[in-house]
Structures are given as structure tokens and as C-alpha cells.
Amino acid sequence: MKKAEIVIHRDFQIGRIDRRIYGSFVEHLGRAVYQGIYQPGHPEADEEGFRKDTLELVRELKVPIIRYPGGNFVSGYNWEDGIGPREQRPRRLELAWRTIETNHVGVNEFASWAKKADSEVMMAVNLGTKGVDSARYLVEYCNHEKGSYWSDLRRSHGYEEPHNIKVWCLGNEMDGPWQIGHKTADEYGRLACETAKAMKWVDPGIELVVCGSSGSGMPTFGDWEATVLEHTYEHVDYISLHTYYGNRDGDTPDYLASSLNMDNFIRSVASICDYVKAKKRSRKTLYLSFDEWNVWYHSNDDDRRIQPWSIAPHQLEDIYNFEDALLVGSMLITLLKNADRVRIACMAQLVNVIAPIMTSGKGGAWRQTIFYPYRDVSTYGNGVVLSPVIKSPCYDTKSYNEVPYLDSIAVLNEEENELIFFAVNRDLEEEMLMEADLRAFTGLSLVSHTVLENDDLKAVNSEENPYNVLPHDNGKAAVEEGRLKALLPKASWNVIRLKIGNKE
Ligand code: AHR
């Protein structure tokens, strides 16, 4: 049996977790909004038309912040279309996804929904077809209390209290030629800078995310970040990163190592931020917003067959399998490993569209396989991330050398007096013994060891069989003489919680 060793110490810390790294994303795309969160007439609809079954699952995930309304959608969006009486709202050709947007849900409804979901809104403004005015008016509409045109208009629409939206994205993926209103780094950097200034003049309490590259594989990656930050460094608080992976050629060991690419991406962007900081002799550190990340590839072929100009079609409806959940677990571990720099992250997306939650228009809502690692980390990943020294046997793949079979991170939750390990065993053939040296902690006892495992890497959950892939809590872990000894089944996602006793 393979064996991996971990050493941690309570004083060797990476950083305190900002819970906003457990954020998500709802775009006006496919059935994310319509039939996902909003479906008047459905048996589960509440008085505002929001689906209660979806809300319940979102609350179970404990999502602290949700990016809205796009995505590619936002680059052609007039937010004014989605306010005021519903019957007067225009139906528009939506160019990003080639659908009809009815505008039945807009910023006010989404803010109401987010409150019901115990979450906050992270609002994106349109810097594709729009600019400074549209963005500053939206901040005024959402955040200014009263006594001005846009704030009084909001009040006249029935929303007396401001929405107080704290985090705002300056456009979306502006480096991508597919983006409506795609720009060069200089064009975008100048526009983002001027928009940022005006938005913060309206509400100095907001935080701003500037667009980084839409992926580390973009030909402009690196130069894009450096140029955009040259223009905006002192006016923004975060730079965005996006990434999606897929097991396109059926090479699962390689696929499960994709989180190494994500880690490298994060480190590269942090270095570029620090390069600009040095050039500008700035005292400010820029943080990262990994505001789109997930697996996305299962639905690619189906999406090519969608009829244009339909309303809320089945679009980007990836059905996730068990191996996807393992990679999502590793991506969450990667975010935690970089908790000193990543302050916001959004699993893209939340409902129906590349999502952990699925709904059926006529039926209920259920959890996809990737729901479980997300829920686990959002529930138990609170406190401080400890910097582990890990010795693990490794394997080689087509894309990566030296991939450790064990991927793991430890979190110290001082409030609950708990030490939590999240771990993926990437070995598809054998279980692994994970041993952790915990001499820096006293009186440890095991609370639980839950495991997500399945003999079939391609197993999925569906409306008919929603509990096919499900975690169990019969993991084999024990604490013996200051050491944690845990058996991690082959190809598994593990959460091990330990109670810390009183200091001797
Ligand atoms: O999340 C789906 C799409 O992926 C988003 O609209 C876009 O920003 C990214 O390319």
C-alpha cells in the first residue's frame, strides 16, 4: 500500500480564509435564472416566483457571495431593461448566447433572491457595449440611499432600502474575441480605470475586480494582466482569473492533475500583480478573484445543436460524474492553498448551467456529484489554512511531471477547536495510508471521516437516481500517539475532522 506523510504545525500558517472563496455565479444563460432560481407557477415557487427547492440547496451549500448577471451576457446587457414593472420590460436579442432575454428577472429581483439564499451579490457591469455612465448609475441605483434620480427610481420600484452591494466586477473576459465589445488591454485598461474612479466616487465603500485573462492559455496571458494593471492598479482591489477543465481524451490520471495547472495560474497572476506593484512603488497588495472555475465540457456537443433565439434553453447543462467531483475537490484544495492571495472565488455556476444543483422544469431539484466537495469545504473550511509539508509518492502524466497521488490541505478552526483535513487520493488503483504528524496539537480525537468514493468513475446523479453518488461517513481514520492515520480509498474525496483538546 502506498503511504503519504504530512507534517503541520499550528503556527505555520498560509492565511486566514476569506469565506468569499466559497462563492458562486448565476448568469442569464440557459436555465440558470429561468427555471433554475425563478419559475412562477411551479409547485415550489414562493410568493415572488423563486423556487424554494433550489433555495434550500443553495443554503445547504452555504454560498457567501454570488456573481451576477454574467459572464458573457453582461457585455451586452442594459440593466435598465430589468427594472420597473415586469410587463413593460423589453424582450431583447441576447447576443452572447443567442437567446431571447425576457428581463423578467433583473437586479432588484436578484438582490431579493440572494438575501433569501443567505448570500451577497457580486455585481458585474457592462464594459463591452457600455461604459462609465451605465456603471455609475447602477451603483447609484443599487447603493445610494435616496434623494437622487437613480436611488429614488429604485425606491419607486418598491425597494426602499439600498441593496448595498459591496463587490463589483469591471466587465467580463474583455480579453476574449468572443466577448461583445472585446477590447485590447490598453483600451480596456483605460476604460476600467475611468469606470472604477466614477463608481468609487458614487460609493467609496465598494470593492472592484478588474478583468484578468479568461484563461492562462490565452495568447495575451501575462501581457494582458501587466498592461491592464498598469492602467488600473491604484483604483481596483482584485484581478480576476477564470479556468475550466475537461477530461476530453479520457485520460483520467492527467485530468485529475489539472489542479496543478490552476495552482500555477494563481502563482503566475500573483507574481504579475507584484511586478506591477514594484514598478509603481506601491504599498498596496492586489488580491485575486478566481471568479469562474469548474469542470466544463460534457455539454459542448449538445450546445452546438441549440436553436437560436429560444427562451431559457437547456444550455451548458453538464451532467457531472464522480471523477469530476474528485477534480473539483482538488480545485477547492488549490484555492485553500492560496488563501493568502485568493480572497474571492466563484464556482461557475450555481444552478442548471455547469452547476452543482440541477432542477427540472416540471419536477424537483437535486445535487450533482460536484455538490459534495463544494458543500464540505464551504461548511468545514473555516479559520486558518495551515501550510503542510507533504511527502507523497508521485506519478507522471502527459501534461504534468511528478503529480502527487495525495492532494491535501489542513484548516485550523480555532472557534470550534477543530483541525480539518481535506484530501483527494488520485490513485485509481489502490487505497493509500495518509499519516499526519500532529505533535503541535494536544488531546486530539476523531470527530468524523467522510468519504466520497465510487467504483465507477463515470457514475452520475440524475432526477431518477439523485443519490447514486453520495458521501458516507465510514472512513477509516484514527489518532494514535499524536499521529493521524487515515486510509484513503482509491479515487476518493475525504474530509477528516479532529477535535483539539485542552493544552496540557
Ligand atoms: O460560465 C460560462 C461562461 O464562461 C461565462 O459566461 C464566460 O465568462 C466564460 O467564458
Coordinates of all heavy atoms in Angstrom, one line a residue, residues 33-74:
V33 N -31.3 31.2 -14.5 CA -32.2 32.1 -13.8 C -33.6 31.6 -14.0 O -34.3 31.2 -13.0 CB -32.1 33.5 -14.4 CG1 -33.2 34.4 -13.9 CG2 -30.7 34.1 -14.1
Y34 N -34.1 31.4 -15.3 CA -35.4 31.0 -15.5 C -35.5 29.5 -15.4 O -34.8 28.8 -16.1 CB -35.9 31.5 -16.9 CG -35.7 33.0 -17.0 CD1 -34.7 33.6 -17.8 CD2 -36.4 33.9 -16.2 CE1 -34.5 34.9 -17.9 CE2 -36.2 35.3 -16.2 CZ -35.2 35.8 -17.1 OH -35.0 37.1 -17.1
Q35 N -36.3 29.0 -14.5 CA -36.4 27.5 -14.2 C -35.4 27.1 -13.2 O -35.5 26.0 -12.6 CB -36.3 26.6 -15.4 CG -37.6 26.6 -16.3 CD -37.6 25.4 -17.3 OE1 -36.9 24.4 -17.1 NE2 -38.4 25.6 -18.3
G36 N -34.3 27.9 -13.0 CA -33.3 27.5 -12.0 C -33.7 28.1 -10.7 O -34.0 27.4 -9.7
I37 N -33.6 29.5 -10.7 CA -33.9 30.1 -9.4 C -35.3 30.7 -9.4 O -35.9 30.9 -8.4 CB -32.9 31.2 -9.0 CG1 -33.0 32.4 -10.0 CG2 -31.5 30.7 -9.0 CD1 -32.1 33.6 -9.5
Y38 N -35.9 31.0 -10.6 CA -37.2 31.7 -10.8 C -38.1 30.9 -11.7 O -37.7 30.7 -12.8 CB -36.9 33.1 -11.3 CG -38.1 33.9 -11.6 CD1 -38.7 34.6 -10.6 CD2 -38.5 34.1 -12.9 CE1 -39.9 35.4 -10.8 CE2 -39.6 34.9 -13.2 CZ -40.3 35.5 -12.1 OH -41.4 36.3 -12.4
Q39 N -39.2 30.5 -11.2 CA -40.2 29.8 -12.0 C -41.6 30.0 -11.4 O -42.1 29.1 -10.8 CB -39.8 28.3 -12.2 CG -40.6 27.7 -13.3 CD -40.2 26.2 -13.5 OE1 -39.3 25.7 -12.7 NE2 -40.8 25.5 -14.5
P40 N -42.2 31.2 -11.7 CA -43.6 31.3 -11.1 C -44.5 30.3 -11.7 O -44.3 29.9 -12.9 CB -44.0 32.7 -11.6 CG -43.0 33.2 -12.6 CD -41.8 32.3 -12.5
G41 N -45.4 29.8 -10.9 CA -46.3 28.7 -11.4 C -45.8 27.3 -11.1 O -46.6 26.4 -11.0
H42 N -44.5 27.2 -10.8 CA -44.0 25.9 -10.3 C -44.5 25.6 -8.9 O -44.7 26.5 -8.1 CB -42.5 25.9 -10.4 CG -41.9 24.5 -10.1 ND1 -41.7 24.0 -8.9 CD2 -41.4 23.6 -11.0 CE1 -41.1 22.8 -9.0 NE2 -41.0 22.5 -10.2
P43 N -44.8 24.3 -8.6 CA -45.4 24.0 -7.3 C -44.4 24.4 -6.2 O -44.9 24.7 -5.0 CB -45.5 22.5 -7.3 CG -45.4 22.0 -8.7 CD -44.8 23.2 -9.5
E44 N -43.1 24.6 -6.4 CA -42.2 25.0 -5.4 C -42.0 26.5 -5.4 O -41.1 27.0 -4.6 CB -40.8 24.3 -5.7 CG -40.8 22.9 -5.3 CD -40.7 22.6 -3.8 OE1 -40.3 23.6 -3.1 OE2 -41.1 21.5 -3.4
A45 N -42.7 27.3 -6.2 CA -42.4 28.7 -6.3 C -43.0 29.4 -5.1 O -44.1 29.1 -4.6 CB -43.1 29.3 -7.6
D46 N -42.2 30.4 -4.5 CA -42.7 31.2 -3.4 C -43.5 32.4 -3.9 O -43.8 32.5 -5.2 CB -41.6 31.6 -2.4 CG -40.6 32.6 -3.0 OD1 -40.9 33.1 -4.1 OD2 -39.6 32.9 -2.4
E47 N -43.9 33.3 -3.1 CA -44.8 34.4 -3.5 C -44.1 35.3 -4.5 O -44.8 36.0 -5.3 CB -45.2 35.2 -2.2 CG -44.2 35.9 -1.4 CD -43.2 35.0 -0.6 OE1 -43.4 33.8 -0.5 OE2 -42.2 35.5 -0.2
E48 N -42.7 35.3 -4.6 CA -42.1 36.1 -5.6 C -41.7 35.3 -6.8 O -41.0 35.8 -7.7 CB -40.8 36.7 -5.0 CG -41.0 37.7 -3.9 CD -39.6 38.3 -3.4 OE1 -39.1 37.6 -2.5 OE2 -39.1 39.3 -3.9
G49 N -42.1 34.0 -6.9 CA -41.8 33.2 -8.0 C -40.4 32.4 -7.9 O -40.0 31.8 -8.9
F50 N -39.8 32.5 -6.8 CA -38.5 31.9 -6.6 C -38.7 30.4 -6.2 O -39.5 30.1 -5.3 CB -37.6 32.6 -5.5 CG -37.2 34.0 -5.9 CD1 -37.4 35.0 -5.0 CD2 -36.7 34.2 -7.2 CE1 -37.0 36.3 -5.4 CE2 -36.4 35.5 -7.6 CZ -36.5 36.6 -6.6
R51 N -37.9 29.5 -6.7 CA -38.1 28.1 -6.4 C -37.5 27.8 -5.0 O -36.3 28.0 -4.8 CB -37.4 27.2 -7.5 CG -38.3 27.1 -8.7 CD -37.7 26.1 -9.7 NE -37.7 24.8 -9.2 CZ -37.7 23.7 -9.9 NH1 -37.9 23.8 -11.3 NH2 -37.7 22.5 -9.4
K52 N -38.4 27.3 -4.1 CA -37.9 27.0 -2.8 C -37.0 25.8 -2.7 O -36.1 25.7 -1.8 CB -39.2 26.8 -1.9 CG -39.9 28.1 -1.6 CD -41.1 27.8 -0.6 CE -42.2 27.2 -1.4 NZ -43.5 27.0 -0.7
D53 N -37.2 24.9 -3.6 CA -36.3 23.7 -3.6 C -34.9 24.1 -4.0 O -33.9 23.6 -3.3 CB -36.8 22.6 -4.5 CG -37.2 23.0 -5.9 OD1 -37.1 24.2 -6.2 OD2 -37.6 22.1 -6.7
T54 N -34.7 25.0 -4.9 CA -33.4 25.5 -5.3 C -32.8 26.3 -4.1 O -31.6 26.0 -3.7 CB -33.4 26.4 -6.5 OG1 -34.0 25.7 -7.6 CG2 -32.0 26.9 -6.9
L55 N -33.6 27.1 -3.5 CA -33.1 27.9 -2.4 C -32.6 27.1 -1.3 O -31.5 27.4 -0.7 CB -34.2 28.8 -1.9 CG -34.4 30.2 -2.5 CD1 -35.7 30.9 -2.1 CD2 -33.2 31.1 -2.2
E56 N -33.3 26.0 -1.0 CA -32.9 25.1 0.1 C -31.5 24.5 -0.2 O -30.6 24.4 0.7 CB -33.9 24.0 0.2 CG -34.0 23.4 1.6 CD -35.2 22.4 1.6 OE1 -36.3 22.8 1.3 OE2 -34.9 21.2 1.8
L57 N -31.3 24.1 -1.4 CA -30.0 23.5 -1.8 C -28.9 24.6 -1.8 O -27.7 24.3 -1.4 CB -30.0 22.8 -3.1 CG -30.9 21.5 -3.1 CD1 -30.9 20.9 -4.5 CD2 -30.4 20.5 -2.1
V58 N -29.2 25.8 -2.2 CA -28.2 26.8 -2.2 C -27.8 27.1 -0.7 O -26.6 27.3 -0.4 CB -28.7 28.1 -2.9 CG1 -27.6 29.2 -2.8 CG2 -29.0 27.8 -4.4
R59 N -28.8 27.2 0.2 CA -28.5 27.4 1.6 C -27.6 26.3 2.1 O -26.7 26.5 3.0 CB -29.8 27.5 2.4 CG -30.4 28.9 2.2 CD -31.5 29.1 3.3 NE -32.6 29.9 2.7 CZ -33.8 29.4 2.4 NH1 -34.1 28.2 2.6 NH2 -34.7 30.2 1.8
E60 N -27.9 25.1 1.7 CA -27.1 23.9 2.2 C -25.6 24.1 1.8 O -24.7 23.7 2.5 CB -27.7 22.6 1.6 CG -27.0 21.4 2.1 CD -27.6 20.1 1.5 OE1 -28.9 20.1 1.2 OE2 -26.9 19.1 1.4
L61 N -25.4 24.7 0.6 CA -24.0 24.9 0.1 C -23.3 26.0 0.9 O -22.1 26.2 0.8 CB -24.0 25.2 -1.4 CG -24.2 24.1 -2.3 CD1 -24.3 24.6 -3.8 CD2 -23.0 23.1 -2.2
K62 N -24.1 26.9 1.6 CA -23.5 28.0 2.3 C -22.7 28.9 1.4 O -21.5 29.0 1.6 CB -22.7 27.5 3.5 CG -23.5 26.7 4.5 CD -22.7 26.4 5.8 CE -23.5 25.8 6.9 NZ -24.3 24.7 6.4
V63 N -23.4 29.5 0.5 CA -22.7 30.3 -0.6 C -22.6 31.7 -0.1 O -23.7 32.4 0.0 CB -23.4 30.2 -1.9 CG1 -22.6 30.9 -3.0 CG2 -23.7 28.7 -2.3
P64 N -21.5 32.3 0.2 CA -21.5 33.6 0.8 C -21.7 34.8 -0.2 O -22.1 35.9 0.2 CB -20.1 33.7 1.4 CG -19.2 32.8 0.6 CD -20.1 31.7 0.2
I65 N -21.3 34.5 -1.5 CA -21.4 35.6 -2.5 C -21.7 35.0 -3.8 O -21.2 33.9 -4.1 CB -20.1 36.5 -2.4 CG1 -20.3 37.8 -3.2 CG2 -18.9 35.7 -2.9 CD1 -19.2 38.8 -2.9
I66 N -22.5 35.7 -4.6 CA -22.9 35.1 -5.9 C -22.7 36.2 -7.0 O -23.3 37.3 -6.9 CB -24.3 34.6 -5.9 CG1 -24.5 33.6 -4.8 CG2 -24.7 34.0 -7.3 CD1 -25.9 33.0 -4.6
R67 N -21.9 35.9 -8.0 CA -21.6 36.8 -9.1 C -22.8 36.8 -10.0 O -23.4 35.8 -10.3 CB -20.4 36.4 -9.8 CG -19.8 37.2 -10.9 CD -18.4 36.8 -11.2 NE -17.8 37.5 -12.4 CZ -17.7 36.9 -13.5 NH1 -18.0 35.6 -13.7 NH2 -17.2 37.6 -14.6
Y68 N -23.1 38.0 -10.6 CA -24.4 38.2 -11.4 C -24.2 39.4 -12.2 O -23.6 40.4 -11.7 CB -25.6 38.3 -10.4 CG -26.9 38.7 -11.1 CD1 -27.7 37.7 -11.6 CD2 -27.3 40.0 -11.2 CE1 -28.9 38.0 -12.2 CE2 -28.5 40.3 -11.8 CZ -29.3 39.3 -12.3 OH -30.5 39.6 -12.9
P69 N -24.8 39.6 -13.4 CA -25.6 38.7 -14.2 C -24.8 37.9 -15.3 O -25.4 37.2 -16.1 CB -26.6 39.6 -14.8 CG -25.8 40.9 -15.1 CD -24.8 41.0 -14.0
G70 N -23.5 38.1 -15.3 CA -22.7 37.4 -16.3 C -21.2 37.7 -15.9 O -21.0 38.5 -15.0
G71 N -20.4 37.0 -16.5 CA -20.4 36.2 -17.7 C -20.5 37.0 -19.0 O -20.6 38.3 -19.0
N72 N -20.5 36.3 -20.1 CA -20.5 36.9 -21.4 C -21.8 37.7 -21.6 O -21.8 38.7 -22.3 CB -20.5 35.8 -22.5 CG -19.2 35.0 -22.5 OD1 -18.2 35.5 -21.9 ND2 -19.2 33.8 -23.0
F73 N -22.9 37.3 -20.9 CA -24.1 38.0 -21.0 C -24.0 39.5 -20.7 O -24.6 40.4 -21.3 CB -25.2 37.3 -20.1 CG -26.4 38.1 -19.9 CD1 -27.5 38.0 -20.8 CD2 -26.6 38.9 -18.7 CE1 -28.6 38.7 -20.6 CE2 -27.8 39.6 -18.6 CZ -28.8 39.5 -19.5
V74 N -23.2 39.8 -19.7 CA -23.2 41.2 -19.1 C -22.6 42.2 -20.2 O -23.0 43.3 -20.1 CB -22.4 41.2 -17.8 CG1 -20.9 41.3 -18.0 CG2 -22.8 42.5 -17.0

